[in-house]
Protein backbone atom coordinates (compact mmCIF):
# COMPACT_ATOMS: atom_id res chain seq x y z
CA UNK A 1 0.00 0.00 0.00
CA UNK A 2 1.50 3.34 -0.99
CA UNK A 3 1.26 6.24 1.41
CA UNK A 4 -1.42 7.93 -0.67
CA UNK A 5 -3.53 4.94 -1.69
CA UNK A 6 -6.93 4.83 -0.03
CA UNK A 7 -6.49 2.99 3.30
CA UNK A 8 -10.16 3.06 4.22
CA UNK A 9 -12.58 0.16 4.21
CA UNK A 10 -14.89 2.30 2.03
CA UNK A 11 -14.23 4.08 -1.25
CA UNK A 12 -14.30 7.87 -1.10
CA UNK A 13 -17.74 9.09 -2.09
CA UNK A 14 -19.44 5.91 -0.87
CA UNK A 15 -22.64 6.48 1.10
CA UNK A 16 -22.45 5.15 4.65
CA UNK A 17 -24.80 5.03 7.63
CA UNK A 18 -24.16 5.38 11.38
CA UNK A 19 -22.17 2.47 12.74
CA UNK A 20 -20.39 1.62 9.48
CA UNK A 21 -16.71 0.85 10.10
CA UNK A 22 -14.37 2.97 8.00
CA UNK A 23 -10.92 1.70 8.97
CA UNK A 24 -8.59 0.09 11.49
CA UNK A 25 -6.59 2.97 12.97
CA UNK A 26 -3.95 0.91 14.75
CA UNK A 27 -3.23 -1.47 11.88
CA UNK A 28 -2.97 1.30 9.27
CA UNK A 29 -0.76 3.59 11.35
CA UNK A 30 2.21 1.26 10.92
CA UNK A 31 1.60 1.15 7.17
CA UNK A 32 1.96 4.87 6.62
CA UNK A 33 -1.64 6.03 7.06
CA UNK A 34 -2.81 7.90 10.17
CA UNK A 35 -6.63 8.10 10.32
CA UNK A 36 -8.10 11.10 12.15
CA UNK A 37 -11.79 11.38 13.05
CA UNK A 38 -13.38 14.39 11.38
CA UNK A 39 -16.99 15.57 11.29
CA UNK A 40 -19.49 12.71 11.37
CA UNK A 41 -17.02 10.05 12.53
CA UNK A 42 -15.76 8.68 15.84
CA UNK A 43 -13.16 6.25 17.13
CA UNK A 44 -13.83 3.17 19.23
CA UNK A 45 -11.48 0.33 20.22
CA UNK A 46 -8.93 1.26 17.57
CA UNK A 47 -11.42 1.57 14.70
CA UNK A 48 -12.98 4.54 12.91
CA UNK A 49 -16.78 4.57 12.48
CA UNK A 50 -19.40 6.76 10.82
CA UNK A 51 -21.89 8.56 13.05
CA UNK A 52 -23.85 10.23 10.23
CA UNK A 53 -25.52 9.17 6.99
CA UNK A 54 -23.68 10.63 4.03
CA UNK A 55 -20.66 10.31 1.74
CA UNK A 56 -17.15 9.40 2.90
CA UNK A 57 -14.71 12.27 2.38
CA UNK A 58 -11.06 12.72 3.34
CA UNK A 59 -8.50 15.52 3.49
CA UNK A 60 -5.01 14.11 2.89
CA UNK A 61 -1.68 15.63 3.89
CA UNK A 62 1.87 14.49 4.61
CA UNK A 63 3.15 14.44 8.21
CA UNK A 64 6.90 15.10 8.23
CA UNK A 65 7.09 14.52 11.99
CA UNK A 66 6.29 10.82 11.92
CA UNK A 67 7.75 7.92 9.97
CA UNK A 68 6.85 4.23 9.95
CA UNK A 69 9.30 1.33 9.92
CA UNK A 70 6.80 -0.88 8.07
CA UNK A 71 6.42 1.86 5.47
CA UNK A 72 10.19 1.83 4.67
CA UNK A 73 10.79 4.91 6.78
CA UNK A 74 8.55 7.10 4.63
CA UNK A 75 6.53 9.92 6.14
CA UNK A 76 3.07 9.14 7.38
CA UNK A 77 0.07 10.42 5.42
CA UNK A 78 -2.68 11.98 7.52
CA UNK A 79 -6.22 11.08 6.49
CA UNK A 80 -8.78 13.36 8.12
CA UNK A 81 -11.95 11.41 7.44
CA UNK A 82 -15.40 13.03 7.54
CA UNK A 83 -18.96 12.36 6.41
CA UNK A 84 -20.59 14.86 4.07
CA UNK A 85 -24.37 14.93 4.28
CA UNK A 86 -26.68 15.71 1.39
CA UNK A 87 -28.38 19.13 1.62
CA UNK A 88 -31.75 17.56 2.52
CA UNK A 89 -30.07 15.62 5.34
CA UNK A 90 -28.27 18.57 6.90
CA UNK A 91 -29.89 19.81 10.10
CA UNK A 92 -31.24 23.26 10.76
CA UNK A 93 -29.54 25.39 13.41
CA UNK A 94 -31.94 24.35 16.19
CA UNK A 95 -31.26 20.71 15.43
CA UNK A 96 -27.50 21.22 15.39
CA UNK A 97 -27.59 22.83 18.82
CA UNK A 98 -29.74 20.01 20.18
CA UNK A 99 -27.35 17.32 18.94
CA UNK A 100 -24.51 18.69 21.07
CA UNK A 101 -26.49 18.88 24.31
CA UNK A 102 -28.80 15.84 24.20
CA UNK A 103 -27.97 12.77 26.29
CA UNK A 104 -29.76 9.41 26.23
CA UNK A 105 -32.69 9.19 28.65
CA UNK A 106 -34.90 6.36 29.87
CA UNK A 107 -37.63 5.87 27.27
CA UNK A 108 -35.57 7.22 24.35
CA UNK A 109 -35.28 5.20 21.15
CA UNK A 110 -31.66 4.95 20.09
CA UNK A 111 -29.55 3.74 17.19
CA UNK A 112 -26.72 1.51 18.33
CA UNK A 113 -24.00 -0.76 17.07
CA UNK A 114 -23.35 -4.13 18.69
CA UNK A 115 -19.65 -4.36 19.56
CA UNK A 116 -19.57 -7.61 21.52
CA UNK A 117 -21.83 -10.55 22.40
CA UNK A 118 -21.23 -12.26 25.73
CA UNK A 119 -22.96 -15.64 25.67
CA UNK A 120 -25.44 -16.41 26.93
CA UNK A 121 -26.49 -13.33 28.82
CA UNK A 122 -25.97 -9.97 27.07
CA UNK A 123 -24.59 -7.87 24.22
CA UNK A 124 -22.49 -4.71 24.48
CA UNK A 125 -23.76 -1.80 22.37
CA UNK A 126 -22.34 1.56 21.34
CA UNK A 127 -25.21 4.08 21.47
CA UNK A 128 -24.44 6.40 18.56
CA UNK A 129 -27.65 8.40 18.05
CA UNK A 130 -31.15 9.18 19.30
CA UNK A 131 -34.07 8.49 16.98
CA UNK A 132 -36.74 11.16 17.58
CA UNK A 133 -40.20 9.70 18.17
CA UNK A 134 -43.37 11.00 19.76
CA UNK A 135 -42.76 8.70 22.72
CA UNK A 136 -39.18 9.78 23.48
CA UNK A 137 -39.06 11.30 26.94
CA UNK A 138 -37.53 14.65 27.74
CA UNK A 139 -37.10 15.88 24.17
CA UNK A 140 -37.47 19.49 23.18
CA UNK A 141 -40.14 20.48 20.67
CA UNK A 142 -37.42 21.35 18.16
CA UNK A 143 -36.01 17.85 18.50
CA UNK A 144 -39.38 16.16 17.97
CA UNK A 145 -39.93 18.07 14.72
CA UNK A 146 -36.83 16.51 13.12
CA UNK A 147 -37.43 13.42 10.91
CA UNK A 148 -33.84 12.18 11.13
CA UNK A 149 -31.54 10.85 13.82
CA UNK A 150 -29.53 12.96 16.25
CA UNK A 151 -25.95 11.61 16.36
CA UNK A 152 -23.66 11.90 19.36
CA UNK A 153 -20.11 13.17 19.03
CA UNK A 154 -18.98 10.21 21.17
CA UNK A 155 -20.90 6.95 21.71
CA UNK A 156 -22.51 6.05 25.03
CA UNK A 157 -22.26 2.57 26.56
CA UNK A 158 -25.31 0.31 26.43
CA UNK A 159 -26.15 -3.27 27.37
CA UNK A 160 -28.81 -5.45 25.75
CA UNK A 161 -29.72 -8.26 28.13
CA UNK A 162 -30.98 -11.65 27.09
CA UNK A 163 -34.43 -11.17 28.63
CA UNK A 164 -34.91 -7.76 26.96
CA UNK A 165 -34.48 -8.89 23.35
CA UNK A 166 -37.87 -10.35 22.44
CA UNK A 167 -41.33 -9.94 23.96
CA UNK A 168 -41.74 -12.43 26.83
CA UNK A 169 -38.41 -14.00 25.90
CA UNK A 170 -37.36 -17.05 27.88
CA UNK A 171 -34.04 -17.43 29.64
CA UNK A 172 -33.09 -20.19 27.17
CA UNK A 173 -32.96 -17.64 24.32
CA UNK A 174 -29.67 -17.86 22.39
CA UNK A 175 -28.47 -14.28 22.11
CA UNK A 176 -26.31 -14.96 19.03
CA UNK A 177 -29.50 -15.90 17.16
CA UNK A 178 -30.79 -12.37 17.78
CA UNK A 179 -27.83 -10.00 17.49
CA UNK A 180 -24.19 -10.30 16.44
CA UNK A 181 -21.16 -7.98 16.54
CA UNK A 182 -21.37 -5.30 13.87
CA UNK A 183 -25.19 -5.24 13.76
CA UNK A 184 -26.89 -1.85 13.79
CA UNK A 185 -29.98 -1.89 16.00
CA UNK A 186 -32.89 0.23 17.11
CA UNK A 187 -33.54 -0.11 20.84
CA UNK A 188 -35.31 1.69 23.65
CA UNK A 189 -33.49 2.71 26.83
CA UNK A 190 -35.16 0.62 29.50
CA UNK A 191 -33.21 1.70 32.58
CA UNK A 192 -29.97 3.16 33.87
CA UNK A 193 -27.22 0.76 34.88
CA UNK A 194 -23.99 1.27 36.74
CA UNK A 195 -20.83 2.95 35.44
CA UNK A 196 -22.75 5.35 33.15
CA UNK A 197 -24.30 2.42 31.31
CA UNK A 198 -27.75 2.25 29.73
CA UNK A 199 -29.90 -0.89 29.80
CA UNK A 200 -31.56 -1.43 26.41
CA UNK A 201 -34.62 -3.29 25.18
CA UNK A 202 -35.67 -4.49 21.72
CA UNK A 203 -38.86 -6.20 22.88
CA UNK A 204 -41.14 -3.95 20.77
CA UNK A 205 -41.85 -5.15 17.23
CA UNK A 206 -40.39 -2.00 15.63
CA UNK A 207 -37.12 -2.44 17.51
CA UNK A 208 -34.25 -4.78 16.72
CA UNK A 209 -31.68 -5.23 13.98
CA UNK A 210 -31.96 -2.77 11.08
CA UNK A 211 -28.64 -3.54 9.38
CA UNK A 212 -26.46 -6.65 9.44
CA UNK A 213 -23.70 -8.12 7.29
CA UNK A 214 -23.36 -11.71 6.10
CA UNK A 215 -20.39 -13.31 7.84
CA UNK A 216 -19.40 -15.34 4.77
CA UNK A 217 -19.96 -12.94 1.84
CA UNK A 218 -19.76 -9.50 3.43
CA UNK A 219 -23.03 -8.39 1.77
CA UNK A 220 -25.82 -6.69 3.70
CA UNK A 221 -28.45 -9.14 4.88
CA UNK A 222 -32.09 -8.77 3.84
CA UNK A 223 -34.92 -9.38 6.35
CA UNK A 224 -37.11 -12.38 5.45
CA UNK A 225 -39.05 -12.70 8.72
CA UNK A 226 -39.14 -11.30 12.23
CA UNK A 227 -36.37 -13.70 13.27
CA UNK A 228 -34.24 -14.27 10.16
CA UNK A 229 -32.21 -12.33 7.59
CA UNK A 230 -30.86 -13.72 4.32
CA UNK A 231 -27.75 -13.06 2.25
CA UNK A 232 -28.80 -11.96 -1.27
CA UNK A 233 -25.76 -13.73 -2.77
CA UNK A 234 -25.30 -17.01 -0.90
CA UNK A 235 -28.93 -17.31 0.25
CA UNK A 236 -27.62 -18.30 3.67
CA UNK A 237 -30.03 -17.36 6.46
CA UNK A 238 -28.89 -16.01 9.83
CA UNK A 239 -30.93 -15.56 12.97
CA UNK A 240 -31.70 -12.01 14.09
CA UNK A 241 -34.31 -10.15 16.11
CA UNK A 242 -35.43 -8.10 13.10
CA UNK A 243 -36.96 -4.67 13.54
CA UNK A 244 -40.32 -4.28 11.82
CA UNK A 245 -40.11 -1.40 9.32
CA UNK A 246 -41.71 1.78 10.64
CA UNK A 247 -44.64 3.25 8.79
CA UNK A 248 -43.81 6.40 6.86
CA UNK A 249 -46.14 9.31 6.29
Amino acid sequence: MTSKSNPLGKKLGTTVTPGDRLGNILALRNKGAHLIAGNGTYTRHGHLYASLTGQVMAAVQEDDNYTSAENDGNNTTLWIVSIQQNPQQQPQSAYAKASTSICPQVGSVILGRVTRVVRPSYAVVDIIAIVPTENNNGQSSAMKQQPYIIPFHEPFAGTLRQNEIRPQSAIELEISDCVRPGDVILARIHALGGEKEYILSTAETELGVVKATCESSGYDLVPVSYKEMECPVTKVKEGRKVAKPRATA
Side-chain angles (χ1 to χ4, degrees):
M1 182 181 69
T2 64
S3 61
K4 291 188 179 180
S5 64
N6 182 5
L8 303 176
K10 303 286 185 181
K11 293 182 179 179
L12 297 182
T14 299
T15 298
V16 295
T17 56
D20 283 353
R21 188 167 70 179
L22 305 178
N24 186 321
I25 297 174
L26 300 179
L28 292 172
R29 184 172 297 174
N30 290 329
K31 296 182 179 180
H34 187 179
L35 303 186
I36 298 176
N39 181 57
T41 68
Y42 67 94
T43 60
R44 189 74 162 179
H45 303 306
H47 294 270
L48 184 69
Y49 296 95
S51 63
L52 295 175
T53 297
Q55 294 181 323
V56 179
M57 309 295 290
V60 184
Q61 63 185 60
E62 294 288 343
D63 184 2
D64 297 331
N65 298 319
Y66 185 85
T67 60
S68 169
E70 292 188 19
N71 196 39
D72 298 326
N74 295 325
N75 294 336
T76 292
T77 302
L78 299 180
W79 287 72
I80 304 173
V81 184
S82 61
I83 305 302
Q84 179 177 322
Q85 294 180 285
N86 295 328
Q88 62 268 28
Q89 294 175 315
Q90 293 178 354
Q92 300 175 357
S93 58
Y95 168 79
K97 292 178 181 178
S99 67
T100 62
S101 59
I102 293 296
C103 290
Q105 299 181 29
V106 174
S108 296
V109 174
I110 61 90
L111 189 71
R113 180 181 177 275
V114 178
T115 60
R116 186 161 55 100
V117 172
V118 181
R119 296 181 179 177
S121 54
Y122 66 95
V124 179
V125 179
D126 274 352
I127 300 173
I128 57 180
I130 282 182
V131 181
T133 68
E134 294 181 357
N135 295 326
N136 276 355
N137 296 331
Q139 294 179 350
S140 66
S141 58
M143 182 175 170
K144 289 183 179 180
Q145 293 171 358
Q146 305 302 332
Y148 26 72
I149 66 172
I150 298 179
F152 299 118
H153 293 293
E154 294 290 339
F156 290 85
T159 298
L160 180 61
R161 295 174 176 170
Q162 184 182 37
N163 61 345
E164 295 287 353
I165 294 179
R166 295 187 186 276
Q168 301 176 344
S169 58
I171 194 65
E172 293 82 9
L173 180 71
E174 179 59 53
I175 195 168
S176 61
D177 287 338
C178 301
V179 294
R180 298 186 188 182
D183 289 357
V184 177
I185 66 171
L186 283 175
R188 190 178 297 277
I189 296 179
H190 178 67
L192 298 177
E195 299 294 328
K196 298 182 179 179
E197 182 182 53
Y198 295 89
I199 307 302
L200 307 176
S201 171
T202 59
E204 300 169 47
T205 57
E206 292 185 343
L207 303 179
V209 177
V210 294
K211 183 177 181 180
T213 303
C214 177
E215 294 182 350
S216 59
S217 72
Y219 281 82
D220 287 347
L221 297 174
V222 178
V224 292
S225 72
Y226 72 93
K227 62 179 181 180
E228 284 187 322
M229 302 181 84
E230 183 181 73
C231 176
V233 177
T234 65
K235 302 303 179 182
V236 171
K237 293 182 179 179
E238 297 182 10
R240 293 295 195 280
K241 196 288 183 181
V242 181
K244 178 182 178 181
R246 294 176 176 238
T248 57

